[in-house]
Amino acid sequence: MKNYKIALIPGDGIGREVVPEGVRVLEAAGRRFGIGFQWDSFDWSCETYRRTGRMMPADGLEILKGYDAIFLGAVGAPGVPDHVSLWGLLIPIRRHFRQYACVRPVRLYPGLASPLRDQIARNIDFVIVRENNEGEYSEIGGRLYQGTDEELAVQESVFTRKGVDRILRYAFELARTRRQHVTSATKSNGIIHTMPYWDERFAAVARDYPDVRTDQYHIDILSAHFVLHPDRFDVVVASNLFGDILSDLGAAVAGSIGIAPSANINPEREYPSMFEPVHGSAPDIAGQGIANPVAQILSGAMMLDHLGHADAARAIEAAVETALRDARLHTPDMGGRARTVELGSAIADAL
Ligand SMILES: NC(=O)c1ccc[n+]([C@@H]2O[C@H](COP(=O)([O-])OP(=O)(O)OC[C@H]3O[C@@H](n4cnc5c(N)ncnc54)[C@H](O)[C@@H]3O)[C@@H](O)[C@H]2O)c1
């Protein structure tokens, strides 16, 4: 029996409702495949921020360092500015633990309806690889002359050779395990320094992968292609901001943001990686017991994959497929009436 120490951070809103379903399904997979989990739950959230002025304690990262992985729900609550919850918890974890590869699969599950026409939606199966440590999400910048007519805000983007090359290589390596095709998201017509640099490095790295087909599109038309030709994509590599936007669009074309998983990977395994849904804390439906737990559950499958249990991960995906074929188990975001716990339990039972 292999045992893992997992840090649980349910967070806010529906994070608190879907994380228990993720744990339920991982426990079921553990029973079947001989994997044991020690779950240590941390109440690091906007609630904690209101009480203590911090999203997590000063030694939070030190505490997390000792875990094999982090399983997170979502953070964000009305009344707490979103940049506080993001920069107080998620971004420090992603950066300090060098989780530079944010991997977000997009797949249309049988039984689920895409908002796209059937013949377009048929082959949606691609992965977005988002740069997760630098790019447009930087702390460099500031404001001047606040409160006057001359006030201004400056926000710098940071694209380092190390940061760009390693995410591009991650995407090419991933493509080699799939359909050998990488698409780069760029905007080198409008953003004249960083994006031509991104394109240059994409071309340079591509030379090391002659077996992988490449494409690149400006982000505006790429977004249109996500809707019009989603079957064109295998691995899509993008900067931090572009990858963030594309992953919500990808989730939407695959039927619901409620089914989209995400992994924040430290490929060198010097630090724990973190697994969380693409979606946020959904304050509009929090507390009603109707959130879709599938994104959280599939993030758990990605965690097992990362820990070396591909067989258990595939079994969870198969159990999700089985459950989603039954429309009675669909939560309201998928057009049904099922509750979070019903769908989570059905997936655990299918294992
Ligand atoms: N990684 C994160 O923790 C993360 C990511 C995105 C947003 N947020 C935070 O979440 C809060 C809400 O943000 P938002 O409204 O932009 O995005 P959101 O993803 O929370 O919600 C967007 C819409 O999708 C629906 N939705 C999301 N997940 C769902 C699920 N599992 N089942 C059913 N419906 C679901 C919501 O009800 C809402 O209508 C904000 O505070 C934001 O900062 C956190």
Side-chain angles (χ1 to χ4, degrees), residues 14 74-76 82 90 257-258 276 278-285 291-292 333:
I14 62 166
V75 289
D82 285 341
L90 280 183
I257 177 105
E276 53 165 341
V278 169
H279 66 70
S281 54
D284 55 336
I285 57 163
N292 190 337
D333 58 298

Side-chain angles (χ1 to χ4, degrees), residues 50-69:
R50 285 199 189 95
R51 237 181 21 246
T52 66
R54 301 187 64 102
M55 290 292 296
M56 63 175 163
D59 61 348
L61 294 172
E62 210 39 54
I63 295 172
L64 291 179
K65 212 163 136 188
Y67 285 86
D68 293 307

Side-chain angles (χ1 to χ4, degrees), residues 199-231:
D199 293 354
E200 215 174 282
R201 296 312 306 159
F202 182 64
V205 170
R207 282 197 284 279
D208 292 339
Y209 297 86
D211 51 318
V212 177
R213 200 156 55 82
T214 59
D215 267 335
Q216 70 182 48
Y217 296 101
H218 294 306
I219 187 70
D220 34 5
I221 191 64
L222 181 58
S223 312
H225 287 321
F226 262 41
V227 173
L228 297 173
H229 312 285
D231 58 339

Side-chain angles (χ1 to χ4, degrees), residues 14-325:
I14 62 166
R16 294 166 183 267
E17 299 167 44
V18 293
V19 163
E21 299 312 312
V23 169
R24 186 200 304 277
V25 171
L26 284 164
E27 281 285 338
R31 281 193 293 278
R32 178 165 152 198
F33 290 92
I35 307 163
F37 300 99
Q38 174 190 322
W39 306 104
D40 291 345
S41 193
F42 298 96
D43 183 19
W44 298 347
S45 60
C46 289
E47 208 48 59
T48 304
Y49 174 80
R50 285 199 189 95
R51 237 181 21 246
T52 66
R54 301 187 64 102
M55 290 292 296
M56 63 175 163
D59 61 348
L61 294 172
E62 210 39 54
I63 295 172
L64 291 179
K65 212 163 136 188
Y67 285 86
D68 293 307
I70 304 160
F71 196 49
L72 183 134
V75 289
V80 176
D82 285 341
H83 67 267
V84 167
S85 46
L86 199 65
W87 284 88
L89 185 79
L90 280 183
I91 291 190
I93 295 174
R94 290 172 181 166
R95 297 206 170 173
H96 188 80
F97 294 148
R98 305 291 188 275
Q99 296 167 350
Y100 61 82
C102 180
V103 181
R104 297 181 153 180
V106 176
R107 196 184 142 202
L108 183 65
Y109 273 83
L112 251 186
S114 164
L116 305 182
R117 283 197 309 273
D118 283 353
Q119 66 271 34
I120 294 179
R122 220 170 9 224
N123 297 314
I124 301 180
D125 180 10
F126 57 91
V127 181
I128 296 164
V129 173
R130 165 192 178 192
E131 200 294 316
N132 215 23
N133 276 185
E134 52 175 48
E136 303 87 346
Y137 294 5
S138 93
E139 281 171 289
I140 303 174
R143 293 196 196 188
L144 281 180
Y145 309 121
Q146 286 185 43
T148 72
D149 288 349
E150 288 89 52
E151 79 181 332
L152 65 95
V154 175
Q155 173 77 57
E156 298 290 350
S157 293
V158 176
F159 285 73
T160 65
R161 178 139 174 186
K162 183 175 170 190
V164 173
D165 281 20
R166 68 187 178 185
I167 196 65
L168 294 173
R169 284 191 189 283
Y170 189 92
F172 277 94
E173 293 291 336
L174 181 63
R176 276 189 167 159
T177 68
R178 294 175 49 95
R179 302 192 299 274
Q180 290 92 31
H181 180 202
V182 177
T183 302
S184 165
T186 182
K187 190 60 192 167
S188 45
N189 55 353
I191 300 178
I192 71 163
H193 298 300
T194 52
M195 280 295 142
Y197 180 64
W198 172 275
D199 293 354
E200 215 174 282
R201 296 312 306 159
F202 182 64
V205 170
R207 282 197 284 279
D208 292 339
Y209 297 86
D211 51 318
V212 177
R213 200 156 55 82
T214 59
D215 267 335
Q216 70 182 48
Y217 296 101
H218 294 306
I219 187 70
D220 34 5
I221 191 64
L222 181 58
S223 312
H225 287 321
F226 262 41
V227 173
L228 297 173
H229 312 285
D231 58 339
R232 271 192 197 172
F233 304 110
D234 176 21
V235 174
V236 180
V237 66
S239 63
N240 210 330
L241 174 65
F242 291 173
D244 199 3
I245 297 170
L246 286 176
S247 38
D248 274 40
L249 181 56
V253 300
S256 171
I257 177 105
I259 63 159
S262 166
N264 301 275
I265 305 277
N266 169 239
E268 290 74 24
R269 295 171 188 265
E270 307 149 300
Y271 300 102
S273 293
M274 176 165 67
F275 302 84
E276 53 165 341
V278 169
H279 66 70
S281 54
D284 55 336
I285 57 163
Q288 298 177 31
I290 55 166
N292 190 337
V294 167
Q296 188 76 49
I297 290 167
L298 290 175
S299 302
M302 294 184 83
M303 182 169 87
L304 286 181
D305 237 336
H306 180 74
L307 294 172
H309 299 279
D311 48 356
R314 298 294 84 73
I316 291 180
E317 288 164 5
V320 167
E321 259 187 48
T322 305
L324 290 183
R325 280 181 204 279

